[in-house]
Amino acid sequence: MPASADVVLLGGGLAGLTLALQLRQQDAALRIVVIERHRHPVREAAFKVGESTVEIGAHYLANVLGLREHLDSQHIRKFGFRFFFSDGRTDIDACTELGVSRILPTPSWQIDRGRLENHLGDLARERGIDFIDGAVVRGVDLGEGDAPHAVRCERDGETHTVHARWLVDASGRAGVLKRKLGLAKPNAHDANAVWWRVDGHLDPNDWSDDAQWRDRCTPPDRWRSTNHLCGPGYWVWMIPLSSGAHSIGIVCDAAMHPLETMNSHAKATAWLQQHQPRLADALDASEHTVQDFMFLRHFSYDCAQVFSRERWALTGEAGLFLDPFYSPGSDFIALSNTYIADLIARDRAGTLFGPYTAMYEQLYRSFYENTLTLYQDQYPLFGDAQVMPLKVIWDYTFYWALLAPLYCGGLQCDLGVLGRVRDAFVRGSELNRAMQPLLRAWGERNRIEAMSTPDGRLLDQYRPAWFHTLNAELHEPADAETFVARTESNLRLMARLAAELRAQARIAHPELDTAALDALLACETVDVDAEPLLSPIWYAQREAALEPA
C-alpha cells in the first residue's frame, strides 16, 4: 500500500477503474491508487446491475478508453432498445412492439459487469496503477488548503493510511464522502426495483409460432436487445449477458406497485404471472436456474455537490442516480469522469482550476435535471401503447439531437463551443420541459376514456431517415463549426417533431392544454407544410376502432 499518491479513488468498480484508466491515459506520470473492497477476480453475471450501455457510455468505453476490441469479443453487441406493451398478455406477437428492425450505425453493448470489471482491474495493474482490492475504507480526513487528504483503510487485518492531493469517491451507494459531508439529497422520483440473474438466455422469438413476426427483424435477434415489457406504472427488463446468463429486473412506481409485492423471488414470480405471464412461463423452465435476487427501495437520488475546488469529487452512484429505464448509468460515469480528469489536468498544469469546478457542476447538474424530466411522474404512461412510443421517440430525439453529440464529439469541456450553442441547448431543454407534461396529460386522458391498444404493430425506429441520421452522426467526427451548425439543425428538427406531436395530441383530445408548448413553438421556425416525421402507423391507435373497457 503506497503511503502517498496524486489521486486516490475510493472504489474500484466501473466508475473508479474507468476514471483511473482515463487519468493514466491523460498523464503517464500520475500516481494513482484505487481502493476496492471486493477481491478480484469478481464473479461474472450475478455481480452488479447496470449492464446495458447507451451511446454516451458506449462511446466512452469503446473510443475514449479504447476498449472496443474487448467489448466486441467479450460482450454482446446490443440490438437497440425494444419495448413490448404486453401487460397481462401471453400473445407477445399481437402486442405493440417498438424497436429497430435492423441495427443502427452507432454501437452499444450489453456488458457483463463482472467480466468487464475484471478486465479493467487487469488493465489498471498493467498500466502501473496501484489497484488495491480486498481493502475497506475506515476513514477519510480532508486536507485544508494545499494540505493532502488522508484515507485510512484496512486490508488483511492491517491498517494503512494513504495521503493524496486529489480524492475521488467512486464507492457507489456507500457514498463515503457524500455521507461524511452531508451531501445526500432526495429527489421527487420515487421508484423501486428488484432484479435477479438466471442461467441461459431468453429469446422473445421463442414466444411466437408466427414466422413472419419472428422475421420482422434482420437478423431475427430480439434477444440481443434491452427488452422492456411495459405496463401501467412499471417495466420489466431482459438483458442478455455474454457469460451465458440473462438479467431480469422489475422497476415500478412505488405508489402503483409497492415493493412489498415483489421483494422476494417467490413474490416477484407471482407478480410476473399476473403482469407478464409469458416471461413468467419462460422462467419456469428448469434450465433457467436462479443465480441471485436483490431489491432496492427509492433507488433515485440527488446530491448537493459532486465537484469541489478543495480537490475532491464524486463520480458514478457515489454522487447521484436517476433511473435505469434508458440505461443512463454509464453515461453519467462518462460525464463525471471526464470533468474530473479535466480538473486534475488543469491542477497538474499549475493553472487555476477552481472556477471550472462551479461551471462543470452546473453543466453536470443540467444534464441530470433534463434527464430527470424523462422519468419523474411518467411511469403511469408506461402501459399506454399510443402515447408511450411517441414519448420514447421524443426522448431519444432530445438525447441524440443535443446531449449525446456534445460528448461523442469530444466537446464536453470546450467552454467556447458550449457558449456558442448555449441558446440552442436552453431552447431544446424548454421544449422538452413543455413536452413531458403534455405527454403525461395525453396519457391521463387516454386512461379516463379507457382506450384500447392496437394489435401487432411494429413501430420501427430504423425506418425514419431523420432518426437514422441522428444516430449515425453520433460517431461521425465533427469540428466546432460543424457541431454548432448541426446543433441548430437538430433543434429545428426537435421543434418540428414537437409541433407534430402537439397536433396529434389535439386530434386525440382537443381539450388538452398546449399553451406552454404553443408559446415556445411560436419562437421557432417550423415548416408546417413539411412531410410528417412519423408515418401514420405511429398514430394508428386513434384511427382504429376504440372500444370501452
Side-chain angles (χ1 to χ4, degrees):
M1 183 78 71
S4 64
D6 298 307
V7 183
V8 167
L9 294 121
L10 310 180
L14 183 61
L17 286 171
T18 52
L19 177 56
L21 291 169
Q22 188 174 4
L23 290 170
R24 167 60 72 241
Q25 188 173 283
Q26 175 178 285
D27 187 343
L30 203 64
R31 297 173 301 157
I32 306 166
V33 173
V34 179
I35 300 171
E36 165 58 27
R37 64 187 179 91
H38 289 291
R39 293 278 187 183
H40 270 228
V42 298
R43 179 181 178 181
E44 293 188 342
F47 180 53
K48 294 178 183 176
V49 285
E51 297 137 323
S52 173
T53 63
V54 287
E55 285 73 22
I56 290 177
H59 176 83
Y60 177 62
L61 294 172
N63 302 319
V64 175
L65 299 181
L67 300 174
R68 177 68 187 262
E69 182 180 351
H70 172 76
L71 294 170
D72 281 339
S73 64
Q74 298 298 316
H75 301 272
I76 294 172
R77 174 76 183 267
K78 186 167 133 183
F79 202 173
F81 281 136
R82 193 169 303 278
F83 305 81
F84 295 98
F85 297 89
S86 51
D87 182 60
R89 299 173 66 165
T90 57
D91 53 346
I92 195 78
D93 48 9
C95 299
T96 298
E97 177 184 1
L98 169 64
V100 290
S101 61
R102 290 174 172 78
I103 202 161
L104 286 166
T106 297
S108 57
W109 292 268
Q110 314 287 22
I111 57 175
D112 183 307
R113 287 289 296 273
R115 180 172 292 186
L116 177 61
E117 291 183 23
N118 286 334
H119 180 64
L120 296 175
D122 291 343
L123 286 178
R125 285 175 170 141
E126 288 172 11
R127 296 176 186 179
I129 295 164
D130 286 304
F131 176 40
I132 314 298
D133 63 343
V136 180
V137 175
R138 296 301 186 191
V140 173
D141 297 314
L142 296 177
E144 296 182 1
D146 275 341
H149 308 303
V151 178
R152 298 183 304 281
C153 60
E154 182 179 327
R155 188 173 192 266
D156 295 334
E158 295 185 6
T159 301
H160 306 267
T161 299
V162 187
H163 294 88
R165 178 164 178 79
W166 278 86
L167 180 63
V168 180
D169 187 358
S171 62
R173 289 176 181 266
V176 174
L177 271 183
K178 182 165 60 179
R179 294 176 189 276
K180 178 181 177 65
L181 299 174
L183 300 174
K185 284 176 59 178
N187 64 26
H189 179 46
D190 189 9
N192 304 317
V194 305
W195 65 89
W196 63 104
R197 266 63 62 113
V198 298
D199 292 343
H201 286 151
L202 295 151
D203 188 351
N205 270 20
D206 294 338
W207 300 353
S208 173
D209 295 326
D210 185 338
Q212 185 177 3
W213 180 86
R214 291 200 302 265
D215 292 340
R216 290 198 306 197
C217 298
T218 306
D221 289 351
R222 285 179 172 93
W223 70 275
R224 290 195 289 121
S225 300
T226 299
N227 283 296
H228 299 63
L229 308 181
C230 300
Y234 77 89
W235 61 285
V236 177
W237 81 62
M238 297 169 54
I239 300 174
L241 305 178
S242 55
S243 51
H246 224 99
S247 177
I248 309 296
I250 306 170
V251 187
C252 298
D253 182 294
M256 298 179 71
H257 298 275
L259 184 62
E260 288 69 27
T261 64
M262 59 186 74
N263 60 355
S264 70
H265 183 255
K267 289 181 182 179
T269 300
W271 188 94
L272 283 179
Q273 283 288 0
Q274 178 183 353
H275 292 282
Q276 293 294 337
R278 191 61 191 84
L279 173 58
D281 291 346
L283 288 170
D284 195 41
S286 59
E287 64 265 26
H288 296 311
T289 304
V290 177
Q291 297 184 2
D292 66 335
F293 183 88
M294 298 187 72
F295 63 86
L296 193 59
R297 190 187 299 274
H298 309 314
F299 60 65
S300 186
Y301 51 84
D302 200 344
C303 183
Q305 184 180 0
V306 291
F307 310 128
S308 171
R309 62 177 64 230
E310 302 301 321
R311 295 171 285 103
W312 58 260
L314 315 179
T315 188
E317 292 184 33
L320 38 76
F321 185 79
L322 280 166
D323 189 288
F325 185 68
Y326 289 124
S327 305
S330 56
D331 282 12
F332 277 85
I333 288 172
L335 293 166
S336 56
N337 281 2
T338 299
Y339 284 133
I340 292 166
D342 185 79
L343 292 171
I344 291 174
R346 291 180 185 277
D347 184 36
R348 291 276 289 176
T351 59
L352 194 64
F353 71 89
Y356 288 88
T357 61
M359 288 186 282
Y360 292 165
E361 183 85 29
Q362 182 181 9
L363 291 166
Y364 188 62
R365 180 155 301 280
S366 175
F367 191 89
Y368 171 83
E369 291 171 351
N370 276 292
T371 310
L372 182 60
T373 64
L374 311 184
Y375 310 113
Q376 189 173 321
D377 302 322
Q378 297 291 54
Y379 266 56
L381 265 181
F382 282 16
D384 190 320
Q386 180 191 22
V387 181
M388 191 60 189
L390 303 178
K391 171 177 164 52
V392 170
I393 203 82
W394 169 264
D395 293 349
Y396 269 111
T397 301
F398 180 43
Y399 176 63
W400 287 352
L402 298 179
L403 305 177
L406 184 68
Y407 188 84
C408 294
L411 300 169
Q412 180 190 343
C413 297
D414 190 326
L415 299 183
V417 169
L418 287 169
R420 294 176 64 185
V421 297
R422 181 181 184 279
D423 179 65
F425 272 67
V426 169
R427 286 152 55 205
S429 175
E430 289 175 344
L431 283 174
N432 176 62
R433 289 178 182 275
M435 179 57 68
Q436 297 299 334
L438 175 59
L439 293 166
R440 183 163 58 249
W442 187 354
E444 288 168 355
R445 179 56 59 184
N446 279 358
R447 290 195 298 280
I448 291 170
E449 296 189 1
M451 300 182 73
S452 63
T453 60
D455 287 337
R457 288 185 301 166
L458 171 60
L459 301 178
D460 187 356
Q461 292 173 308
Y462 184 85
R463 294 188 66 182
W466 61 272
F467 195 72
H468 191 285
T469 298
L470 279 178
N471 178 271
E473 287 177 345
L474 294 177
H475 73 281
E476 293 177 1
D479 57 24
E481 294 302 323
T482 302
F483 173 78
V484 172
R486 191 176 285 171
T487 299
E488 286 293 339
S489 175
N490 289 350
L491 179 64
R492 290 192 294 272
L493 178 67
M494 280 185 65
R496 186 175 158 196
L497 179 60
E500 184 173 321
L501 296 180
R502 176 188 61 177
Q504 290 294 329
R506 285 172 171 171
I507 292 170
H509 303 293
E511 74 281 9
L512 281 176
D513 180 5
T514 63
L517 189 56
D518 295 345
L520 294 172
L521 289 175
C523 301
E524 300 294 337
T525 302
V526 179
D527 183 358
V528 295
D529 297 321
E531 287 292 317
L533 291 169
L534 296 175
S535 63
I537 193 173
W538 287 83
Y539 306 113
Q541 176 159 350
R542 197 61 197 174
E543 300 168 8
L546 304 179
E547 301 173 358

